[in-house]
Amino acid sequence: EATAPLLEVNGIEVIYNHVILVLKGVSLTVPEGGIVALLGGNGAGKTTTLRAVSNLLAGERGEVSKGQIRLRGERIERLSPSALVQRGVVQVMEGRHCFAHLSIEENLLAGAYTRSDRGEVAANLEKVYRYFPRLKTRRTSQAAYTSGGEQQMCAIGRALMASPRLVLLDEPSMGLAPQIVEEVFSIVKDLNDKEGVTFLLAEQNTGMALRFADYGYILENGRVVMDGTAASLAGNQDVKEFYLGMG
Ligand code: ATP
């Protein structure tokens, strides 16, 4: 359908190990070209929501037991992670997960594994280096010896090598100094503005996420308890008190 949003999650429930109900009916919409933030504390269900979309639950003994997930109107719950990559959906996992023994450039090239056109891959690599000049400087360095910020950039850069339309970004700020978080978020915003890449990002850093996102959903205990434009959430008294520490 021409009018279908890029991503639509409708009433999903997720269980782990056949019994533990972790998502209890989560619905959300990500419009094409948006930056949408999934907010909430530890264990609220943010990572699980992203894994449900990218179909990475199976490795965690989890499954979507109810609800639907649609990409431009097409049901995707049964598509494999690689089929999703082919359709432009790529996840950047929490904790960065660069291949420690490979160089930054080898890590980036690993992200292009589904693509065969060498010229396109080379052009894409140059594009990633334009957005992440730090990665170009560090291209021959073994990932293990780069900083946390560089590893996060490498993980995002690797995802971009698949030419995604939708990037699922899990806790990009984790373990990074505020200045580096700012740098990473600015690049995300730039990629969104200039390349039209859509982002669904999970963040515990509510303040930072609301500065860069258009729209946000707050999860508590596996349910969406509030949603709204980033500006309206940032101005909401409960959000200020419970998530921004401005009570
Ligand atoms: P965090 O920021 O800590 O990752 P989160 O909001 O992303 O928090 P989830 O990681 O989605 O939350 O976890 C939601 C709930 O699911 C938690 O209670 C967690 O203990 C549980 N959970 C997560 N992964 C598994 C798993 N593989 N098996 C069983 N339970 C899990």
Side-chain angles (χ1 to χ4, degrees), residues 16-17 22 41-48 51 60 94 171 204:
Y16 283 115
N17 298 311
V22 165
N42 237 316
K46 305 180 296 296
T47 297
T48 300
R51 281 184 190 144
E60 304 289 325
E94 187 174 332
E171 299 276 359
Q204 291 204 38

Side-chain angles (χ1 to χ4, degrees), residues 15 39 59 62 157:
I15 55 176
L39 307 166

Side-chain angles (χ1 to χ4, degrees), residues 12 14 23 47-57 64 69:
I12 58 166
V14 167
L23 296 190
T47 297
T48 300
T49 304
L50 297 186
R51 281 184 190 144
V53 173
S54 55
N55 204 352
L56 291 174
L57 283 169
V64 175
I69 305 173

